[in-house]
Amino acid sequence: MHPPFPLETVLQNRYRLLQLLGQGGFGRTYLAEDQNRFNELCVLKELTPAQTQPDALSKAKELFHREAKVLYQIQHAQIPQFRETFEQDQRLFLVQDYVEGRTYRALLEEYRAQGRRFSEAEVLFLLQQLLPVLAYLHSQGIVHRDISPENLIRRARDGQPVLIDFGVVKQLATQLQRPDQGLTAVGKLGYAPSEQMQTGRVYPSSDLYALAVTAVVLLSGREPPELLDDTTLTWRWQAWATTSPELAQILDRMLSSQPGERYAATNDVLQALREVPQPGLVPSSLSPAPAAPLSQVQTWAVGLPAEPNLPAAPVRAVARHSLWDRPWVVAAFCVGLALTSGLISWAVSSSVRVEAPPVPDASPSQSSSPAKPTPSPRPTPTLDPREQAYRTKLATLRQELGLGGEAHERFFIRLVDDVFCPQHPELRPCKLGTEQIDLRLQWFGTAEELLNRLKQANLSETLRVQLGNYQLKTDPERWKQAAHQLNLNSCALADLTDARFYQLFQGWVPQGRGQNLVAQYEPGLGQVWMALAYDQLAAMQANPPQVIRVRRDGGSEGSLEPGEGKIYLARLREGRTLAVELESNRATQWSVYPPVGAPGRCEESALLQDSSDPGWAGQLPQSGFYQVVVVSAAPERLDYRLKLEAQETEED
């Protein structure tokens, strides 16, 4: 490859090179001044053919101009405009507009340094603004091929995402370097789907896949190798991000390894995104409450965060002229804007009430821009001091528990509703007006007690992560499969989860099989149950259940705290008779489950379930690891002794 041109070199007696922006196997990218356009900044992309024989160079030029013609046809405000091509010193150049701003890669690195990740609102904005750009490209028969944080720029002047560095150019460069090869694979490893990397074939859904990878990288703050399971090619990103279930479902579909399982078109994704709830919603049980004075309460921005002041690129300033440089144009625009704003403000103030902020989000990473007071002919009411005190207290508790962020806020509101609403059947629907101050205070009182109970539960990191993960329709199956790998029937693990769950919510939740709560209370109480199940699973993976050798020692002794349980495994043969005895100084419940793979639900397959009897005996229907589960049903610590006897056993 030729060495780079020295800076300040003028190409074509027109383009002065100011800065080397990047360099790769296909060539280089320069920042330059266009001296024929008042020193306007532009970008030069250099493509250097590896072979310089006359035939190879002629073929390279043919391909180059053919592909440049495709780029010339692209006319979109969020894609740098193609200007021209030229050749100099056996090097081929593309000239495009320069976009002032920062790449999403640079923004991501800045967020990481601050201990932050992109919020759901920021990623939603990126998707909603970029998908129409892809829809335009795909309608022209063009696939970008190389979407990643490096190739997306947040434009400084308006915050819009701009798509740069088309993979079609890199594919062209590859063909120029290896003209003897046919279809070539171009794309960024980890971002491009398998069909693109393995065969070089691309579809519109290939761009959707890469965009989804970009989204989960921004949401999680982690790179693709950390999020993709190499053995199953399944994305495991939700443990590192907090999103609504609707957005997570959309991203998972876009991330499908099979092109046919993704969305067929970008407009389908845009339609699905309309169902994603916007951040900053009012609690479902509380109708809009009076707004508090700006000097007394914290304010939460609804919608998109304010665009930060981004520094300009480190290049020389260039004068730019436009219509806005003319004073009469600016004056006319301001007068028109003032009249329009006045009419809109009058219409809004005449038709809607002022909404209160939602239950406080204590996450320090979710910043918001200061709210600007809107003139109104009516005085602004204030929050009841008792309600304001609750809001402040809840914010502190949520911060202590690590339950900040938008996804945790929605989970928390639903959790409180699940407990509060059944206690007040007279509320149909379960909505509270601003005048129902006593009931509103009860709602906040319930919220405080719930947070205190979660605090007393000593939440593990696994549990805190799961409380922001709403994919309950798929997570139970993954949880069951992980349990089976430990030779555990998921019913046994559910018993331990039930014990902890009902001890945590004693007196608030009707006793029953906890797994039913996942569907009944999603994403409130059911989310807590599912998170506790994952917590139990993590503990089991770190410390697998004890295997009892029935013939050798016959049993085990132990103690349990309130809400605690333990699982024992015994490897037994089909047709033998098993006798189990449980001695305890306080109330216990215990169950006996068959090996993994037994047909039927827990109630149908269990040999014994939720029993308080001191003993049980029965014939074993199959060979394998049987599970004996002992859980505490007492308010105090208890001691127990478990004894197993069988006619014959199979030693490990």
Side-chain angles (χ1 to χ4, degrees):
M1 179 184 292
H2 297 292
F5 283 108
L7 298 185
E8 299 298 327
T9 299
V10 179
L11 302 180
Q12 298 290 291
N13 199 30
R14 177 174 182 175
Y15 300 108
R16 182 186 301 276
L17 303 183
L18 302 178
Q19 184 179 345
L20 181 63
L21 297 177
Q23 180 169 301
F26 69 90
R28 303 177 184 88
T29 303
Y30 300 91
L31 179 67
E33 284 180 343
D34 187 346
Q35 296 180 336
N36 288 3
R37 298 183 64 169
F38 306 101
N39 292 336
E40 186 177 51
L41 297 179
C42 61
V43 171
L44 270 61
K45 293 183 180 294
E46 174 192 342
L47 287 84
T48 306
Q51 300 187 23
T52 58
Q53 293 87 351
D55 291 345
L57 189 60
S58 176
K59 180 62 176 178
K61 292 179 181 179
E62 178 185 346
L63 288 171
F64 178 74
H65 290 291
R66 187 177 67 191
E67 299 297 344
K69 185 177 181 180
V70 174
L71 296 178
Y72 174 74
Q73 296 172 355
I74 299 175
Q75 303 284 331
H76 196 283
Q78 289 169 252
I79 298 175
Q81 179 63 50
F82 171 83
R83 293 189 180 182
E84 69 165 339
T85 64
F86 65 87
E87 177 188 349
Q88 183 164 331
D89 299 336
Q90 293 188 332
R91 309 188 199 190
L92 303 172
F93 288 88
L94 289 170
V95 185
Q96 289 180 303
D97 285 349
Y98 169 69
V99 179
E100 186 174 338
R102 301 173 68 189
T103 66
Y104 275 77
R105 170 59 64 186
L107 294 170
L108 178 60
E109 295 302 329
E110 179 181 309
Y111 278 29
R112 284 173 173 167
Q114 299 171 355
R116 300 170 54 199
R117 295 176 299 211
F118 275 73
S119 67
E120 180 173 352
E122 290 175 293
V123 172
L124 269 176
F125 176 75
L126 173 64
L127 294 174
Q128 291 166 344
Q129 300 303 314
L130 198 61
L131 282 166
V133 182
L134 293 181
Y136 165 78
L137 289 175
H138 297 165
S139 70
Q140 304 294 314
I142 300 171
V143 178
H144 184 278
R145 293 188 173 119
D146 200 19
I147 296 174
S148 67
E150 289 81 2
N151 291 338
L152 292 171
I153 291 179
R154 182 188 281 177
R155 191 160 52 197
R157 63 179 171 85
D158 59 5
Q160 289 287 332
V162 176
L163 192 56
I164 64 171
D165 280 355
F166 279 69
V168 67
V169 177
K170 294 182 181 178
Q171 172 127 4
L172 166 64
T174 306
Q175 290 176 333
L176 296 183
Q177 293 180 2
R178 297 192 295 271
D180 56 322
Q181 298 184 12
L183 197 61
T184 55
V186 173
K188 192 172 276 79
L189 187 63
Y191 290 86
S194 57
E195 74 270 6
Q196 181 175 338
M197 297 303 294
Q198 294 174 6
T199 69
R201 300 184 184 278
V202 292
Y203 313 94
S205 65
S206 305
D207 279 348
L208 297 181
Y209 180 96
L211 179 58
V213 176
T214 300
V216 300
V217 167
L218 297 177
L219 286 167
S220 66
R222 295 176 177 268
E223 295 303 315
E226 302 175 81
L227 305 175
L228 181 63
D229 188 329
D230 292 336
T231 58
T232 63
L233 295 181
T234 303
W235 289 89
R236 309 288 189 186
W237 62 274
Q238 294 177 41
W240 308 104
T242 54
T243 63
S244 64
E246 293 84 357
L247 178 58
Q249 185 176 5
I250 292 169
L251 292 175
D252 279 342
R253 181 172 174 183
M254 295 169 68
L255 289 169
S256 174
S257 60
Q258 300 299 320
E261 295 178 1
R262 302 173 202 146
Y263 290 93
T266 52
N267 288 331
D268 296 335
V269 185
L270 283 169
Q271 181 64 33
L273 287 175
R274 294 190 181 98
E275 304 300 322
V276 177
Q278 296 299 314
L281 298 179
V282 179
S284 58
S285 61
L286 302 181
S287 62
L294 294 176
S295 60
Q296 296 182 14
V297 298
Q298 198 174 358
T299 305
W300 291 267
V302 177
L304 299 170
E307 173 67 13
N309 294 323
L310 302 178
V315 296
R316 69 184 67 179
V318 178
R320 293 177 174 84
H321 303 280
S322 71
L323 225 57
W324 301 104
D325 294 331
R326 304 178 184 179
W328 67 269
V329 174
V330 177
F333 175 80
C334 292
V335 171
L337 180 61
L339 290 173
T340 304
S341 300
L343 289 172
I344 294 174
S345 299
W346 174 83
V348 171
S349 63
S350 302
S351 60
V352 299
R353 300 184 289 184
V354 179
E355 291 191 0
V359 176
D361 179 353
S363 171
S365 65
Q366 299 295 327
S367 61
S368 59
S369 56
K372 298 180 180 179
T374 303
S376 174
R378 296 174 294 181
T380 303
T382 60
L383 281 177
D384 183 284
R386 294 169 294 176
E387 182 172 332
Q388 178 57 40
Y390 266 126
R391 290 173 178 267
T392 303
K393 190 181 300 183
L394 294 182
T396 302
L397 283 171
R398 287 182 60 199
Q399 185 172 5
E400 292 176 357
L401 288 170
L403 296 179
E406 298 160 359
H408 281 141
E409 180 180 333
R410 284 190 290 273
F411 148 74
F412 174 62
I413 291 168
R414 178 62 188 272
L415 175 64
V416 180
D417 283 351
D418 285 347
V419 174
F420 175 82
C421 294
Q423 296 175 349
H424 297 278
E426 73 278 6
L427 296 174
R428 299 294 186 202
C430 189
K431 299 286 184 180
L432 296 178
T434 57
E435 72 284 353
Q436 296 173 287
I437 183 60
D438 290 338
L439 287 175
R440 293 176 70 89
L441 293 177
Q442 288 184 38
W443 190 94
F444 282 104
T446 301
E448 181 184 12
E449 186 170 353
L450 273 171
L451 285 176
N452 282 325
R453 291 195 183 203
L454 292 176
K455 186 176 180 180
Q456 294 170 4
N458 295 322
L459 306 184
S460 71
E461 183 62 26
T462 301
L463 178 54
R464 292 180 182 179
V465 169
Q466 286 299 323
L467 289 181
N469 174 9
Y470 294 107
Q471 293 301 300
L472 297 180
K473 294 180 180 179
T474 56
D475 278 353
E477 293 305 318
R478 298 176 185 172
W479 167 71
K480 292 177 184 178
Q481 293 171 7
H484 293 172
Q485 293 176 357
L486 296 171
N487 289 320
L488 291 179
N489 196 314
S490 60
C491 306
L493 204 53
D495 281 358
L496 266 60
T497 305
D498 284 351
R500 191 176 178 194
F501 178 86
Y502 287 113
Q503 188 270 336
L504 186 62
F505 294 100
Q506 187 176 12
W508 277 356
V509 181
Q511 196 80 16
R513 301 300 299 170
Q515 283 179 292
N516 298 331
L517 295 169
V518 175
Q520 183 178 355
Y521 289 111
E522 179 186 353
L525 287 168
Q527 185 67 31
V528 176
W529 191 94
M530 196 70 244
L532 289 170
Y534 270 95
D535 214 21
Q536 296 286 355
L537 177 61
M540 290 291 171
Q541 290 171 331
N543 187 19
Q546 177 183 349
V547 177
I548 300 179
R549 301 176 184 272
V550 179
R551 177 181 291 176
R552 182 176 299 175
D553 53 33
S556 179
E557 296 180 351
S559 60
L560 296 173
E561 299 293 339
E564 191 179 8
K566 194 166 185 179
I567 299 177
Y568 294 91
L569 294 177
R571 190 173 184 182
L572 303 169
R573 288 182 178 177
E574 176 184 358
R576 305 311 179 196
T577 299
L578 174 68
V580 186
E581 294 181 6
L582 179 66
E583 300 175 2
S584 174
N585 62 342
R586 287 186 171 83
T588 57
Q589 286 186 339
W590 58 296
S591 305
V592 181
Y593 292 107
V596 173
R601 297 176 300 175
C602 296
E603 295 82 357
E604 300 167 351
S605 63
L607 293 113
L608 180 72
Q609 189 173 49
D610 297 338
S611 175
S612 56
D613 296 334
W616 171 88
Q619 193 173 31
L620 304 180
Q622 64 189 88
S623 298
F625 283 98
Y626 283 78
Q627 300 122 71
V628 180
V629 186
V630 183
V631 299
S632 170
E636 300 174 353
R637 180 189 175 110
L638 62 83
D639 298 318
Y640 68 91
R641 184 174 188 274
L642 180 67
K643 183 179 180 181
L644 281 71
E645 293 182 356
Q647 292 178 338
E648 186 176 337
T649 64
E650 180 182 342
E651 298 296 340
D652 294 307

